[in-house]
Amino acid sequence: GLDCRYVITHLGYADKVASLTTMSTPHRGSELVDFLNRLPKPVFLKLTQILDRSFAVFGDDCPDSYASAQQLSPAYCRDFNERTPDAENVLYQSYASVMRFSFSDSLLFLPHLLLWWITGERNDGLVTESSAQWGDYQGTLKSKSLRGISHGDMIDLKREDIKGFDSIEVYQRIVEDLKKKGF
């Protein structure tokens, strides 16, 4: 989402893009990054190296979780938002998701718990509900199950069946709604 906003505003694509819909994008950053930055740097670097190995398994040729994390701090995102105004003729809309319990997602249980402890806000394991809101906020996606929807569920990372939530159907509905709006 942040990359798309950058492309629209800074790379001259505003006249080529009609709308941008973001899904659990940390528009205001993630306080989790500030927490991690307070750890001793070798500890934070070790954690990002572990993440980088995981991303490499999934096909990322040059993962750099440490640098990426720095660009998701609240301070960095405040500056980014000031430097990256919305284009006038582009519809910006956003959605959030939240996990209901930390153990709802085995990959994101610890980040969810830490982020809730730090902010007291509902979150999807990486992004708080308030940070995900940008432009015309469409709401928080929900499931019929008690687990909620994690950041990974939004992209169907683990291909799990979640009662009352199908990521493909969500994206189809968003496209249908945009079509009804004339896009």
Side-chain angles (χ1 to χ4, degrees):
L2 298 174
D3 292 339
C4 292
R5 287 180 47 213
Y6 182 89
V7 167
I8 292 167
T9 301
H10 297 291
L11 300 183
Y13 280 77
D15 62 339
K16 296 170 182 61
V17 175
S19 69
L20 173 63
T21 302
T22 60
M23 311 297 285
S24 290
T25 295
H27 294 286
R28 287 163 189 80
S30 177
E31 289 83 357
L32 192 56
V33 174
D34 286 348
F35 172 81
L36 293 170
N37 275 324
R38 288 191 295 271
L39 295 174
K41 191 168 183 176
V43 173
F44 191 6
L45 287 171
K46 188 66 173 170
L47 290 171
T48 59
Q49 289 170 353
I50 293 168
L51 283 174
D52 288 346
R53 283 195 292 272
S54 299
F55 293 140
V57 168
F58 286 109
D60 190 335
D61 294 332
C62 194
D64 189 351
S65 299
Y66 182 79
S68 296
Q70 299 311 308
Q71 293 176 353
L72 296 176
S73 73
Y76 185 94
C77 287
R78 269 190 303 278
D79 182 56
F80 175 85
N81 291 336
E82 289 175 16
R83 292 181 291 110
T84 311
D86 291 349
E88 282 186 29
N89 298 323
V90 175
L91 168 70
Y92 292 84
Q93 62 180 13
S94 60
Y95 291 85
S97 67
V98 293
M99 293 167 53
R100 293 194 180 148
F101 305 102
S102 293
F103 290 101
S104 296
D105 186 305
S106 59
L107 293 175
L108 294 173
F109 78 94
L110 185 56
H112 175 270
L113 184 62
L114 285 171
L115 195 51
W116 179 83
W117 177 71
I118 294 165
T119 66
E121 285 189 61
R122 298 182 336 157
N123 69 82
D124 67 1
L126 296 175
V127 180
T128 62
E129 196 171 21
S130 62
S131 184
Q133 298 178 23
W134 193 261
D136 186 10
Y137 182 58
Q138 299 295 306
T140 301
L141 298 172
K142 296 179 168 75
S143 68
K144 291 181 181 174
S145 70
L146 291 177
R147 71 188 294 281
I149 308 297
S150 75
H151 199 86
D153 296 331
M154 295 290 283
I155 60 170
D156 204 16
L157 182 66
K158 295 187 286 181
R159 306 274 184 202
E160 289 184 74
D161 288 331
I162 302 168
K163 186 176 181 181
F165 179 80
D166 182 318
S167 61
I168 294 170
E169 288 177 8
V170 167
Y171 293 115
Q172 286 174 332
R173 190 189 80 238
I174 291 169
V175 170
E176 290 168 3
D177 289 346
L178 285 168
K179 184 178 178 183
K180 288 177 189 173
K181 293 176 181 177
F183 292 95

